[in-house]
Amino acid sequence: MSTLTSLPTRTLGSTGPQVSALGLGCMGMSALYGEADRAESIATIHAALDAGVTLLDTGDFYGMGHNELLINEALRTAPAAAREQALTSVKFGALRTAEGGWTGYDGRPGAVKNFAAYSLQRLGTDHIDIYRIARVDPDVPIEETVGAIAELVEAGHVRHIGLSEVGADTLRRAAAVAPIADLQIEYSLISRGIEDRILPTARELGVGITAYGVLSRGLISGHVTREQTFAPGDFRGMSPRFQGDNLGRNLDLVDRLRAVAGAKGVTVAQIAIAWALSRGEDIVPLIGARRRDRLAEALGALDVTLDAADLAAIEAAVPAGAASGARYPESQMDHLDSER
């Protein structure tokens, strides 16, 4: 028998929905982190819903539709109360090959509506709660892409408009077209670039932040070792921060963070997530747990209170800009409007 509970909530911007203070990022259940256990993935989604997590984040290109179908199955087999409070956040626009390659992004209005139609079918729903292009299409003005999503909102197929990995100027242009609920962007102790221009602009415009990579793909989770190896196809096998000397230097930062966490009686992952939560009520961290034990650990961060001394100790252990290596390989950094 499911015992549905509730978590603290936050609102995505001035126009978005109220969601649980932590969301569940489902990508790793289908792609980019090696093989995943389907039964455990569904059990983890169920456990998240039971715990009061209401925000499920996915992309139509995660496993070429696999992730949306997985979420569909998880929601269909969840208790009605959990299913009814679940909100879906969907990214679209990435173009893939049958071999799993990436060939660009498509933000044309006709493509936007086509992507949405397929997502609605795979998710088994009549609406998507938050819809966003994964990366800006350099050949299509953001105004046209956002305008197409706004038409989907008018038609009832989408509830709210989001963005992903856009810079301050693009965010401002998009918000002039239609209300933007949130910007999904990487933000963690070792990825703090948004603090300069993007986060202040989002706050000025009333746009919330859904922060992914809060544990930097496990790098600052406390579970990665210096001898770590990754399966073929695992994104981390080509991520600069996991390569060579970069890995060792970054894990030195984790060791320093572990000392701070130990003094609080919490885990490294919990203090890293708690730090992200502490950055503002307008920030909703996404946790990429693929297993129930990692989910439980992450949810424990909601019970961690950081005072001024704790935050100073964290800052001393992992200063802004201390990470070694870029957050994506150079070829992928070129696609990030947020890095321009």
Side-chain angles (χ1 to χ4, degrees), residues 310-340:
D310 295 326
L311 292 170
I314 293 170
E315 187 76 26
V318 188
S324 294
R327 56 194 184 100
Y328 283 97
E330 186 175 351
S331 61
Q332 296 183 35
M333 291 290 284
D334 290 341
H335 294 295
L336 297 176
D337 182 80
S338 55
E339 293 289 334
R340 295 183 186 135

mmCIF file of all heavy atoms in Angstrom, residues 310-340:
data_model
loop_
_atom_site.group_PDB
_atom_site.id
_atom_site.type_symbol
_atom_site.label_atom_id
_atom_site.label_comp_id
_atom_site.label_asym_id
_atom_site.label_seq_id
_atom_site.Cartn_x
_atom_site.Cartn_y
_atom_site.Cartn_z
ATOM 1 N N ASP A 310 28.418 27.249 8.066
ATOM 2 C CA ASP A 310 28.453 26.104 7.146
ATOM 3 C C ASP A 310 28.720 26.571 5.717
ATOM 4 O O ASP A 310 29.542 25.991 4.997
ATOM 5 C CB ASP A 310 27.117 25.349 7.180
ATOM 6 C CG ASP A 310 26.826 24.703 8.518
ATOM 7 O OD1 ASP A 310 27.773 24.255 9.174
ATOM 8 O OD2 ASP A 310 25.638 24.671 8.886
ATOM 9 N N LEU A 311 28.007 27.615 5.307
ATOM 10 C CA LEU A 311 28.170 28.110 3.945
ATOM 11 C C LEU A 311 29.574 28.645 3.718
ATOM 12 O O LEU A 311 30.152 28.456 2.635
ATOM 13 C CB LEU A 311 27.133 29.190 3.658
ATOM 14 C CG LEU A 311 25.685 28.694 3.595
ATOM 15 C CD1 LEU A 311 24.715 29.870 3.554
ATOM 16 C CD2 LEU A 311 25.468 27.783 2.387
ATOM 17 N N ALA A 312 30.137 29.267 4.726
ATOM 18 C CA ALA A 312 31.515 29.757 4.604
ATOM 19 C C ALA A 312 32.492 28.589 4.487
ATOM 20 O O ALA A 312 33.464 28.645 3.710
ATOM 21 C CB ALA A 312 31.865 30.630 5.801
ATOM 22 N N ALA A 313 32.252 27.527 5.242
ATOM 23 C CA ALA A 313 33.121 26.354 5.175
ATOM 24 C C ALA A 313 33.027 25.676 3.818
ATOM 25 O O ALA A 313 34.038 25.221 3.257
ATOM 26 C CB ALA A 313 32.754 25.373 6.291
ATOM 27 N N ILE A 314 31.813 25.616 3.274
ATOM 28 C CA ILE A 314 31.621 25.028 1.941
ATOM 29 C C ILE A 314 32.343 25.866 0.894
ATOM 30 O O ILE A 314 33.037 25.336 0.015
ATOM 31 C CB ILE A 314 30.121 24.917 1.622
ATOM 32 C CG1 ILE A 314 29.453 23.894 2.531
ATOM 33 C CG2 ILE A 314 29.908 24.548 0.152
ATOM 34 C CD1 ILE A 314 27.941 23.896 2.461
ATOM 35 N N GLU A 315 32.205 27.180 0.996
ATOM 36 C CA GLU A 315 32.852 28.093 0.044
ATOM 37 C C GLU A 315 34.374 27.960 0.111
ATOM 38 O O GLU A 315 35.064 28.000 -0.913
ATOM 39 C CB GLU A 315 32.434 29.531 0.342
ATOM 40 C CG GLU A 315 32.901 30.553 -0.664
ATOM 41 C CD GLU A 315 32.093 30.532 -1.951
ATOM 42 O OE1 GLU A 315 30.926 30.110 -1.911
ATOM 43 O OE2 GLU A 315 32.649 30.938 -2.983
ATOM 44 N N ALA A 316 34.894 27.783 1.316
ATOM 45 C CA ALA A 316 36.340 27.628 1.476
ATOM 46 C C ALA A 316 36.814 26.300 0.894
ATOM 47 O O ALA A 316 37.908 26.208 0.321
ATOM 48 C CB ALA A 316 36.714 27.721 2.953
ATOM 49 N N ALA A 317 35.992 25.274 1.035
ATOM 50 C CA ALA A 317 36.365 23.950 0.515
ATOM 51 C C ALA A 317 36.302 23.898 -0.999
ATOM 52 O O ALA A 317 37.159 23.303 -1.657
ATOM 53 C CB ALA A 317 35.457 22.883 1.126
ATOM 54 N N VAL A 318 35.264 24.528 -1.558
ATOM 55 C CA VAL A 318 35.053 24.500 -3.019
ATOM 56 C C VAL A 318 34.748 25.922 -3.489
ATOM 57 O O VAL A 318 33.593 26.287 -3.690
ATOM 58 C CB VAL A 318 33.902 23.550 -3.401
ATOM 59 C CG1 VAL A 318 33.831 23.387 -4.918
ATOM 60 C CG2 VAL A 318 34.050 22.189 -2.738
ATOM 61 N N PRO A 319 35.782 26.736 -3.671
ATOM 62 C CA PRO A 319 35.544 28.115 -4.116
ATOM 63 C C PRO A 319 34.976 28.150 -5.533
ATOM 64 O O PRO A 319 35.185 27.231 -6.328
ATOM 65 C CB PRO A 319 36.946 28.744 -4.081
ATOM 66 C CG PRO A 319 37.795 27.807 -3.280
ATOM 67 C CD PRO A 319 37.200 26.451 -3.451
ATOM 68 N N ALA A 320 34.264 29.216 -5.847
ATOM 69 C CA ALA A 320 33.761 29.394 -7.202
ATOM 70 C C ALA A 320 34.918 29.350 -8.195
ATOM 71 O O ALA A 320 35.975 29.939 -7.958
ATOM 72 C CB ALA A 320 33.019 30.727 -7.317
ATOM 73 N N GLY A 321 34.725 28.624 -9.281
ATOM 74 C CA GLY A 321 35.757 28.542 -10.312
ATOM 75 C C GLY A 321 36.855 27.539 -10.032
ATOM 76 O O GLY A 321 37.853 27.481 -10.765
ATOM 77 N N ALA A 322 36.687 26.715 -8.978
ATOM 78 C CA ALA A 322 37.760 25.797 -8.593
ATOM 79 C C ALA A 322 37.806 24.523 -9.431
ATOM 80 O O ALA A 322 38.807 23.796 -9.405
ATOM 81 C CB ALA A 322 37.610 25.425 -7.113
ATOM 82 N N ALA A 323 36.757 24.225 -10.180
ATOM 83 C CA ALA A 323 36.699 22.971 -10.939
ATOM 84 C C ALA A 323 37.764 22.939 -12.021
ATOM 85 O O ALA A 323 38.104 23.962 -12.624
ATOM 86 C CB ALA A 323 35.327 22.794 -11.568
ATOM 87 N N SER A 324 38.272 21.754 -12.296
ATOM 88 C CA SER A 324 39.224 21.537 -13.377
ATOM 89 C C SER A 324 38.504 20.905 -14.556
ATOM 90 O O SER A 324 37.864 19.864 -14.403
ATOM 91 C CB SER A 324 40.364 20.622 -12.916
ATOM 92 O OG SER A 324 41.137 21.243 -11.917
ATOM 93 N N GLY A 325 38.581 21.543 -15.717
ATOM 94 C CA GLY A 325 37.931 21.019 -16.913
ATOM 95 C C GLY A 325 36.588 21.679 -17.167
ATOM 96 O O GLY A 325 35.888 22.096 -16.243
ATOM 97 N N ALA A 326 36.236 21.773 -18.448
ATOM 98 C CA ALA A 326 34.939 22.330 -18.836
ATOM 99 C C ALA A 326 33.828 21.343 -18.519
ATOM 100 O O ALA A 326 34.059 20.138 -18.371
ATOM 101 C CB ALA A 326 34.934 22.661 -20.329
ATOM 102 N N ARG A 327 32.595 21.827 -18.455
ATOM 103 C CA ARG A 327 31.487 20.948 -18.087
ATOM 104 C C ARG A 327 31.017 20.060 -19.229
ATOM 105 O O ARG A 327 30.308 19.090 -18.996
ATOM 106 C CB ARG A 327 30.326 21.742 -17.498
ATOM 107 C CG ARG A 327 29.748 22.850 -18.330
ATOM 108 C CD ARG A 327 28.861 23.741 -17.472
ATOM 109 N NE ARG A 327 28.191 24.793 -18.210
ATOM 110 C CZ ARG A 327 26.930 24.737 -18.612
ATOM 111 N NH1 ARG A 327 26.207 23.666 -18.365
ATOM 112 N NH2 ARG A 327 26.386 25.746 -19.250
ATOM 113 N N TYR A 328 31.378 20.381 -20.466
ATOM 114 C CA TYR A 328 31.088 19.539 -21.624
ATOM 115 C C TYR A 328 32.334 19.486 -22.502
ATOM 116 O O TYR A 328 33.178 20.395 -22.439
ATOM 117 C CB TYR A 328 29.936 20.121 -22.461
ATOM 118 C CG TYR A 328 28.557 19.928 -21.906
ATOM 119 C CD1 TYR A 328 27.932 20.930 -21.159
ATOM 120 C CD2 TYR A 328 27.850 18.748 -22.138
ATOM 121 C CE1 TYR A 328 26.648 20.762 -20.655
ATOM 122 C CE2 TYR A 328 26.564 18.573 -21.643
ATOM 123 C CZ TYR A 328 25.970 19.582 -20.906
ATOM 124 O OH TYR A 328 24.697 19.406 -20.410
ATOM 125 N N PRO A 329 32.453 18.474 -23.359
ATOM 126 C CA PRO A 329 33.507 18.497 -24.375
ATOM 127 C C PRO A 329 33.355 19.742 -25.248
ATOM 128 O O PRO A 329 32.256 20.287 -25.394
ATOM 129 C CB PRO A 329 33.259 17.217 -25.180
ATOM 130 C CG PRO A 329 32.512 16.320 -24.254
ATOM 131 C CD PRO A 329 31.662 17.233 -23.415
ATOM 132 N N GLU A 330 34.455 20.174 -25.850
ATOM 133 C CA GLU A 330 34.455 21.432 -26.608
ATOM 134 C C GLU A 330 33.382 21.471 -27.691
ATOM 135 O O GLU A 330 32.720 22.494 -27.881
ATOM 136 C CB GLU A 330 35.827 21.647 -27.240
ATOM 137 C CG GLU A 330 35.975 22.989 -27.936
ATOM 138 C CD GLU A 330 37.383 23.224 -28.456
ATOM 139 O OE1 GLU A 330 38.282 22.428 -28.132
ATOM 140 O OE2 GLU A 330 37.567 24.205 -29.195
ATOM 141 N N SER A 331 33.182 20.340 -28.384
ATOM 142 C CA SER A 331 32.193 20.329 -29.463
ATOM 143 C C SER A 331 30.791 20.596 -28.952
ATOM 144 O O SER A 331 29.958 21.206 -29.644
ATOM 145 C CB SER A 331 32.219 18.981 -30.193
ATOM 146 O OG SER A 331 31.889 17.917 -29.298
ATOM 147 N N GLN A 332 30.487 20.156 -27.724
ATOM 148 C CA GLN A 332 29.161 20.382 -27.150
ATOM 149 C C GLN A 332 29.044 21.757 -26.520
ATOM 150 O O GLN A 332 27.960 22.346 -26.470
ATOM 151 C CB GLN A 332 28.826 19.285 -26.142
ATOM 152 C CG GLN A 332 28.715 17.908 -26.794
ATOM 153 C CD GLN A 332 28.307 16.841 -25.789
ATOM 154 O OE1 GLN A 332 27.533 17.077 -24.874
ATOM 155 N NE2 GLN A 332 28.822 15.633 -25.988
ATOM 156 N N MET A 333 30.164 22.297 -26.032
ATOM 157 C CA MET A 333 30.140 23.650 -25.478
ATOM 158 C C MET A 333 29.701 24.648 -26.546
ATOM 159 O O MET A 333 29.070 25.667 -26.240
ATOM 160 C CB MET A 333 31.525 24.026 -24.929
ATOM 161 C CG MET A 333 31.934 23.262 -23.678
ATOM 162 S SD MET A 333 30.989 23.715 -22.202
ATOM 163 C CE MET A 333 31.733 25.289 -21.794
ATOM 164 N N ASP A 334 30.026 24.361 -27.798
ATOM 165 C CA ASP A 334 29.668 25.259 -28.900
ATOM 166 C C ASP A 334 28.163 25.417 -29.048
ATOM 167 O O ASP A 334 27.680 26.379 -29.638
ATOM 168 C CB ASP A 334 30.257 24.748 -30.222
ATOM 169 C CG ASP A 334 31.768 24.885 -30.266
ATOM 170 O OD1 ASP A 334 32.325 25.684 -29.475
ATOM 171 O OD2 ASP A 334 32.406 24.202 -31.086
ATOM 172 N N HIS A 335 27.388 24.424 -28.534
ATOM 173 C CA HIS A 335 25.920 24.467 -28.665
ATOM 174 C C HIS A 335 25.254 25.230 -27.519
ATOM 175 O O HIS A 335 24.025 25.376 -27.521
ATOM 176 C CB HIS A 335 25.349 23.040 -28.707
ATOM 177 C CG HIS A 335 25.737 22.255 -29.921
ATOM 178 N ND1 HIS A 335 25.338 22.598 -31.193
ATOM 179 C CD2 HIS A 335 26.500 21.147 -30.053
ATOM 180 C CE1 HIS A 335 25.829 21.725 -32.066
ATOM 181 N NE2 HIS A 335 26.543 20.849 -31.399
ATOM 182 N N LEU A 336 26.041 25.688 -26.546
ATOM 183 C CA LEU A 336 25.469 26.286 -25.347
ATOM 184 C C LEU A 336 25.374 27.800 -25.479
ATOM 185 O O LEU A 336 26.379 28.516 -25.356
ATOM 186 C CB LEU A 336 26.304 25.918 -24.116
ATOM 187 C CG LEU A 336 26.371 24.426 -23.779
ATOM 188 C CD1 LEU A 336 27.313 24.199 -22.600
ATOM 189 C CD2 LEU A 336 24.990 23.868 -23.482
ATOM 190 N N ASP A 337 24.175 28.274 -25.721
ATOM 191 C CA ASP A 337 23.944 29.720 -25.755
ATOM 192 C C ASP A 337 24.332 30.354 -24.435
ATOM 193 O O ASP A 337 24.773 31.509 -24.383
ATOM 194 C CB ASP A 337 22.460 29.972 -26.070
ATOM 195 C CG ASP A 337 22.115 31.442 -26.183
ATOM 196 O OD1 ASP A 337 22.390 32.012 -27.248
ATOM 197 O OD2 ASP A 337 21.583 32.009 -25.214
ATOM 198 N N SER A 338 24.217 29.603 -23.356
ATOM 199 C CA SER A 338 24.530 30.105 -22.017
ATOM 200 C C SER A 338 26.012 30.385 -21.823
ATOM 201 O O SER A 338 26.398 31.090 -20.873
ATOM 202 C CB SER A 338 24.083 29.081 -20.965
ATOM 203 O OG SER A 338 24.663 27.817 -21.233
ATOM 204 N N GLU A 339 26.857 29.848 -22.690
ATOM 205 C CA GLU A 339 28.298 30.037 -22.544
ATOM 206 C C GLU A 339 28.839 31.127 -23.465
ATOM 207 O O GLU A 339 30.045 31.338 -23.546
ATOM 208 C CB GLU A 339 29.023 28.719 -22.839
ATOM 209 C CG GLU A 339 28.749 27.626 -21.811
ATOM 210 C CD GLU A 339 29.411 27.915 -20.477
ATOM 211 O OE1 GLU A 339 30.438 28.626 -20.455
ATOM 212 O OE2 GLU A 339 28.900 27.424 -19.440
ATOM 213 N N ARG A 340 27.951 31.802 -24.181
ATOM 214 C CA ARG A 340 28.418 32.840 -25.119
ATOM 215 C C ARG A 340 28.451 34.213 -24.477
ATOM 216 O O ARG A 340 27.780 34.464 -23.525
ATOM 217 C CB ARG A 340 27.504 32.848 -26.365
ATOM 218 C CG ARG A 340 27.617 31.553 -27.142
ATOM 219 C CD ARG A 340 26.783 31.571 -28.402
ATOM 220 N NE ARG A 340 26.848 30.243 -29.009
ATOM 221 C CZ ARG A 340 25.817 29.567 -29.482
ATOM 222 N NH1 ARG A 340 24.630 30.118 -29.428
ATOM 223 N NH2 ARG A 340 25.960 28.390 -30.007
#
